[in-house]
């Protein structure tokens, strides 16, 4: 066995050795290398990052996305009423914006997208409906 002299006061000791030359024991079971001693495995040292939900709390659904989907479906059923389809379109846009700004705290992007698309389809069908009504009324009247 060779003798290694202890490091001088300004030098760092080799990995796994104390400054006085003694060997450090292995870290406790489950404690990874580089993790400060006494800190539980996997725990962040400074708490939650800004804007994130606490661990274990599920993200919530966006209410605007749900209302957008519902008004889009009802707007398709009542094709002549543009109010519900326009509401679905606007709430779909606002719902997607709210979800993207929440940094994962809210979900429902698919619901908002579906409401947006149903709003566009409802407006298109409503326009076609009113155009057909006007054309059919003009065609049946002789001037």
């Amino acid at each position: 066995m060779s003798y290694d002299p202890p490091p001088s006061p300004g030098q760092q000791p080799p990995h796994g050795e104390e400054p006085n030359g003694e060997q450090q024991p292995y870290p406790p079971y489950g404690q990874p290398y580089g993790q400060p001693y006494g800190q539980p495995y996997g725990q962040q040292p400074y708490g939650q990052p800004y804007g994130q939900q606490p661990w274990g709390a599920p993200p919530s659904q966006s209410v605007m996305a749900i209302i957008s989907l519902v008004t889009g479906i009802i707007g398709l059923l009542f094709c002549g009423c543009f109010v519900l389809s326009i509401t679905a379109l606007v709430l779909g846009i606002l719902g997607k914006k709210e979800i993207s700004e929440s940094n994962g705290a809210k979900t429902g992007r698919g619901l908002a997208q579906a409401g947006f698309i149903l709003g566009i389809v409802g407006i298109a069908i409503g326009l076609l409906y009113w155009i057909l009504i006007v054309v059919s009324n003009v065609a049946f009247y002789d001037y």
Side-chain angles (χ1 to χ4, degrees):
M1 196 163 203
S2 67
Y3 171 74
D4 291 329
S8 63
Q11 278 186 328
Q12 189 76 339
H15 182 72
E17 288 190 15
E18 292 288 329
N20 59 6
E22 295 177 10
Q23 188 74 10
Q24 277 184 334
Y26 290 109
Y29 178 74
Q31 190 76 24
Y33 288 104
Q35 183 92 4
Y37 179 74
Q39 187 173 4
Y41 177 73
Q43 184 177 358
Q44 298 295 324
Y46 298 110
Q48 295 291 326
Y50 178 74
Q52 289 186 356
Q53 294 261 339
W55 289 311
S60 62
Q61 286 279 344
S62 172
V63 175
M64 278 194 243
I66 295 170
I67 295 173
S68 171
L69 181 64
V70 170
T71 55
I73 292 171
I74 295 172
L76 279 179
L77 295 176
F78 301 106
C79 295
C81 181
F82 291 105
V83 175
L84 292 174
S85 295
I86 292 172
T87 303
L89 181 78
V90 170
L91 285 177
I93 293 169
L94 293 176
K96 287 192 292 185
K97 182 179 177 184
E98 176 190 26
I99 292 166
S100 64
E101 289 177 353
S102 71
N103 294 330
K106 292 195 180 246
T107 59
R109 179 172 288 283
L111 298 176
Q113 184 70 29
F116 175 77
I117 292 170
L118 287 174
I120 291 174
V121 170
I123 291 170
I125 291 175
L127 283 174
L128 183 65
Y129 173 78
W130 283 106
I131 289 172
L132 288 175
I133 287 179
V134 169
V135 168
S136 67
N137 285 333
V138 170
F140 288 117
Y141 290 117
D142 290 334
Y143 290 100

